């Protein structure tokens, strides 16, 4: 789980990185409270996914260990059991792939929402400045 926390910290640092300008610099225009709300949503989404992935990977570790023990025993019944265990491992790999795919979609949606909000806020500020000058 330490690797997950490290990855989250690195992702957090990316938003403060000086090269994170260009198309992402509109994210800095969001009000503090709204930005924090989206940050919490993003972190909750990422954390939930990583926890689910870690759980599935832990299950696979146990399944792989059982497959190895069955293989080393060379008993016919244990080798037959490995077929089902390997199917479970493959199913879990597919589940991890789906989880990461869902995470990617969710994360893109959050970024898209933040950009739309930033553009909306920027437009409102521009409109307020225009009306104040009139």
């Amino acid at each position: 789980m330490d690797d997950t926390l490290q990855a989250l910290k690195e992702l957090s640092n990316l938003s403060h990185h000086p090269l994170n300008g260009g198309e992402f610099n509109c994210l800095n225009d969001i009000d503090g409270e709204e930005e924090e709300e989206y940050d919490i949503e993003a972190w909750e989404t990422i954390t939930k996914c990583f926890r689910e992935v870690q759980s599935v990977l832990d299950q696979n570790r146990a399944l792989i260990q059982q497959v190895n023990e069955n293989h080393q025993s060379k008993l016919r019944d244990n080798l037959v059991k490995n077929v089902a265990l390997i199917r479970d491992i493959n199913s879990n790999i597919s589940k991890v792939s789906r989880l990461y795919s869902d995470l990617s979609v969710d994360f893109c949606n959050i970024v898209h929402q933040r950009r739309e909000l930033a553009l909306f806020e920027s437009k409102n500020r521009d409109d307020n400045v225009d009306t104040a000058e009139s």
Side-chain angles (χ1 to χ4, degrees), residues 2-3 7 9-10 12 21-22 25 29 33 42 47 50 59-60 77 80 87 98 109 114 117-118 120 131:
D2 290 334
D3 291 338
K9 287 178 186 176
E10 289 174 12
S12 176
N25 63 1
D29 295 337
E33 288 180 24
T47 301
F50 281 144
Q59 290 172 6
N60 264 11
D77 289 341
V80 170
R87 284 188 184 132
R98 279 192 310 276
N109 287 338
R114 286 184 76 171
L117 181 61
F120 178 76
T131 56

Side-chain angles (χ1 to χ4, degrees), residues 57-108:
L57 293 175
D58 289 342
Q59 290 172 6
N60 264 11
R61 181 181 299 118
L63 290 171
I64 290 168
Q65 198 170 19
Q66 185 63 47
V67 166
N68 285 335
E69 290 171 9
N70 288 348
H71 182 72
Q72 288 174 353
S73 75
K74 305 237 190 259
L75 297 174
R76 184 185 183 324
D77 289 341
N78 286 347
L79 296 175
V80 170
K81 289 177 187 176
N82 276 357
V83 173
L85 293 173
I86 291 170
R87 284 188 184 132
D88 289 344
I89 292 167
N90 287 334
S91 173
N92 283 346
I93 291 169
S94 295
K95 186 184 288 187
V96 168
S97 178
R98 279 192 310 276
L99 286 168
Y100 278 131
S101 177
D102 292 347
L103 174 64
S104 176
V105 169
D106 290 344
F107 191 76
C108 287

Side-chain angles (χ1 to χ4, degrees), residues 24-38:
F24 295 104
N25 63 1
C26 67
L27 299 179
N28 296 329
D29 295 337
I30 300 175
D31 289 347
E33 288 180 24
E34 292 166 345
E35 183 177 2
E36 186 175 315
E37 176 184 323
Y38 280 104

